[in-house]
Amino acid sequence: MDTGKTRRGPDEGPRPLCFVHWYFRLPLRGEYTVLFTKSLMDGVAAIIFASTWGVGVLLSGSLVLLYQGAITLLAQWISPLLSDAVINEMSCAGYLLIVALALNMLGITKIKVMNYVPAVFLPILLCQFL
């Protein structure tokens, strides 16, 4: 029985838990509003934190701007290599890293998550050969 509601597919709607979606997929589609909104929220939070912890927070904000900007520009540069299959596989690897971080924060495991960060970019190479 159809309720009149449309179902959203796997590529529709935001995926708030994975940076690959925000920094790669949205700029490839020309959708920068989410990135602008996120950067505005980060800026406001940095000002609030700077009032408590000092000017070091604002200095670190410039590094975050460079880091996030570099990822966004990298997404534009490597866009010919990123098919939907590659981005989906990168998202899966990112989701697993987030689960590992959550397990570490809960004290269940002691996974060295940063050792696995290059795995997010491994699907670019694997999908070129498959």
Side-chain angles (χ1 to χ4, degrees):
M1 181 172 156
D2 187 21
T3 60
K5 295 180 181 178
T6 59
R7 297 186 119 188
R8 292 165 49 141
D11 290 338
E12 296 176 22
R15 296 179 187 170
L17 296 178
C18 186
F19 76 92
V20 174
H21 180 74
W22 300 114
Y23 294 114
F24 282 99
R25 185 175 296 228
L26 292 176
L28 292 177
R29 292 182 180 170
E31 299 174 17
Y32 293 100
T33 56
V34 173
L35 291 176
F36 292 149
T37 304
K38 184 181 178 316
S39 64
L40 181 66
M41 290 171 31
D42 288 344
V44 170
I47 291 170
I48 294 169
F49 290 146
S51 69
T52 303
W53 292 309
V55 73
V57 175
L58 293 178
L59 295 175
S60 67
S62 63
L63 293 175
V64 171
L65 175 69
L66 288 173
Y67 173 74
Q68 291 178 354
I71 291 175
T72 303
L73 293 175
L74 176 70
Q76 294 286 329
W77 186 61
I78 64 170
S79 63
L81 301 175
L82 299 177
S83 65
D84 283 337
V86 172
I87 293 174
N88 288 336
E89 295 299 323
M90 291 173 75
S91 296
C92 288
Y95 290 140
L96 288 174
L97 291 177
I98 290 171
V99 168
L101 279 173
L103 293 174
N104 284 348
M105 290 174 69
L106 292 172
I108 297 172
T109 61
K110 291 186 179 181
I111 300 171
K112 296 181 179 178
V113 177
M114 286 307 293
N115 290 341
Y116 296 107
V117 168
V120 173
F121 301 101
L122 193 60
I124 296 173
L125 295 174
L126 291 177
C127 289
Q128 291 297 319
F129 298 112
L130 296 178

